[in-house]
Amino acid sequence: MATQREENGIVTLTDAGTAQVQDSALWNDDLRPTTRAEHNWSGWSFATLWIGMCICIPTYTLAAGLIGLGMSVWQSIFTIFLGNLIIMVPILLNAHAGTKFGIPYPVFARLWFGSKGAHLPAMARALVGAGWFGINAWIGGAALDTLLTAFYAAWANVPMHTGIVFMLFWVLTMVIAYRGPQAVKKLGAFSAPILAILAIALFVWAYLKADGLGPMLATPSKFATTGEFLNVFWPALTGVIAFWATLALNIPDFCRYAVSQKSQAGAQLLTMPVTMAIFSFIGVAVTSATVVIYGEAIWDPVALLAKFPPYVVLIGAIGIVLASITVNVSANLVAPARAIENLWPRRITFGVGAVVTGLIGIAMQPWFIMENFGNYIFGWLGTYGALLGPIDGIAVADYWLVRKRRLDLVELYKPNGKYSYAGGFNMKSMYALLAGIGASLLGLIVPGLSFLWENAWTVGLFVSMFAYWWLMRTDASLLTQTEYEHITDVQRQGGVQQDRNVTV
């Protein structure tokens, strides 16, 4: 009897399949595969999702930070554009799995690491997401702090005033996060046009204040030779790639609701690179303009906001707060909350996972990460890129090269199913992960191999991808085409069952 049904490229559980696992310890209403009716996110939903996530302060500070490191405007834009094109490849490859099988990231990870081992990549993603949550909460809180100081100067004398506002912003974000990923669609649709208008307004101000586009783009490169540029370019490129390496892993959390592969892939491919390029250009152009206007490069938008009249501070603070909440809920809370929920699906809810994520974000001291662009680009982005690159490589290799897009949904929810491997752990994925991380770490240990660490995400991805493919190419958990067709009721366009010899 078929346990899953494939219709127009989307696989869902049949009633018989659901009955087999709905009482499993690995099943709950948040982690189960989506139903056909729940595949209701159009291309516009993904477009607004990415616009809302890309127009955020970390994007601005990433672009502006490259100027501070010595790049020219065009060197900065090239680095960011290239990094976004590179990370878009694993995003779309992993998005396919979420769309086709309707599973969230922690369940997707069970395929590669096992029912228990999946906690390792899920929690690795969770820790990075929690760190990003703390960063955005700190930025949003700082914007509110600036707003209060602009309208009430005595606020600056209140003990720990920045910390107080930071906690208020933290609580506000947590309340919104309780609504879960479906609320992201509404939040993105609301915030995307507002953020776009504010970004354009900031650019127009800089254009007028700096007397034209020429002075805004006139900041020269500080590198005298190509070698000097490359010494900064390679680790900076890794930082740009790592910027969305988190979403490259947990994009199934959102694409599991897509109406089709075509709609989600087309919308993501168009909106993410384009929005990042445009807003990055605004970031570097405005930062270059501050050199002309104020005599120094102001890469922190909150610090720039403080130089405006109070009514402008109010509008700007609203934009920064909205941007911080949008990216925090969509990009930084959903995946960690799901990962924490996956630790004990029958007892831990999404809401509890969100609160734990927020607490971890505070513990990771976002105020230190944002203290200067060296901490931000080389310390924060570069280091976690070395961890997530190998996991990205394993995910892509498993779905596309090893399993060839054939999964048994029921087995994903069985504690002792075929995807539990030995005692819930797939040691082959552990070896592949260590190989990828180890290859990057050689760049920190061996003189002359620093390029390995400077390109940690890319090196780790390819090393782990190849190692995983080699170790898993004949694994017993793989489904042949015949086995897949035996458990799957495949429907043609219009709902006509495909002819095959199987009892349904």
Side-chain angles (χ1 to χ4, degrees), residues 62-80:
L62 173 65
L66 295 180
I67 294 291
L69 291 172
M71 289 188 181
S72 69
V73 170
W74 299 116
Q75 287 172 337
S76 301
I77 295 300
F78 172 75
T79 303
I80 291 167

Side-chain angles (χ1 to χ4, degrees), residues 57-357:
I57 307 308
T59 299
Y60 185 101
T61 53
L62 173 65
L66 295 180
I67 294 291
L69 291 172
M71 289 188 181
S72 69
V73 170
W74 299 116
Q75 287 172 337
S76 301
I77 295 300
F78 172 75
T79 303
I80 291 167
F81 183 71
L82 179 61
N84 287 324
L85 286 181
I86 292 172
I87 195 61
M88 200 68 221
V89 175
I91 286 176
L92 292 179
L93 292 177
N94 289 331
H96 190 284
T99 301
K100 182 173 182 177
F101 291 97
I103 51 176
Y105 169 62
V107 177
F108 187 34
R110 293 174 189 172
L111 283 171
W112 343 313
F113 279 81
S115 56
K116 294 180 180 177
H119 297 314
L120 175 61
M123 291 308 298
R125 168 65 180 92
L127 287 174
V128 174
W132 272 120
F133 174 84
I135 288 173
N136 278 280
W138 181 255
I139 291 171
L144 286 177
D145 189 54
T146 300
L147 174 64
L148 289 173
T149 303
F151 282 92
Y152 182 58
W155 173 252
N157 299 321
V158 176
M160 298 183 66
H161 58 93
T162 304
I164 293 172
V165 180
F166 166 66
M167 288 308 302
L168 289 174
F169 184 87
W170 183 91
V171 171
L172 174 62
T173 308
M174 296 307 304
V175 170
I176 296 174
Y178 256 86
R179 294 181 174 272
Q182 284 286 14
V184 174
K185 182 169 63 172
K186 297 180 180 178
L187 181 62
F190 171 75
S191 63
I194 296 176
L195 295 175
I197 292 172
L198 290 176
I200 293 171
L202 178 63
F203 179 80
V204 170
W205 167 83
Y207 177 86
L208 296 175
K209 199 73 174 177
D211 294 326
L213 197 60
M216 293 172 66
L217 306 180
T219 302
S221 171
K222 296 180 181 179
F223 307 117
T225 65
T226 301
E228 289 181 3
F229 169 71
L230 292 178
N231 285 337
V232 174
F233 170 76
W234 291 119
L237 181 65
T238 293
V240 173
I241 293 171
F243 191 87
W244 289 121
T246 52
L247 263 293
L249 281 174
N250 80 286
I251 194 65
D253 286 334
F254 302 103
C255 288
R256 62 194 294 232
Y257 302 108
V259 297
S260 69
Q261 297 286 5
K262 182 179 180 180
S263 65
Q264 62 86 5
Q268 293 192 89
L269 183 59
L270 177 63
T271 51
M272 192 278 261
V274 171
T275 305
M276 283 292 291
I278 292 174
F279 194 59
S280 297
F281 174 78
I282 291 174
V284 295
V286 172
T287 302
S288 295
T290 61
V291 176
V292 177
I293 300 168
Y294 300 110
E296 60 175 330
I298 303 176
W299 69 284
D300 183 351
V302 175
L304 179 60
L305 181 64
K307 295 182 175 294
F308 286 88
Y311 72 92
V312 177
V313 174
L314 174 61
I315 297 173
I318 292 173
I320 291 176
V321 168
L322 187 59
S324 298
I325 291 177
T326 300
V327 74
N328 247 3
V329 174
S330 55
N332 303 328
L333 265 176
V334 172
R338 285 276 187 264
I340 294 168
E341 181 183 21
N342 189 50
L343 293 173
W344 197 359
R346 289 292 179 179
R347 291 288 183 269
I348 300 177
T349 65
F350 177 87
V352 172
V355 172
V356 173
T357 299

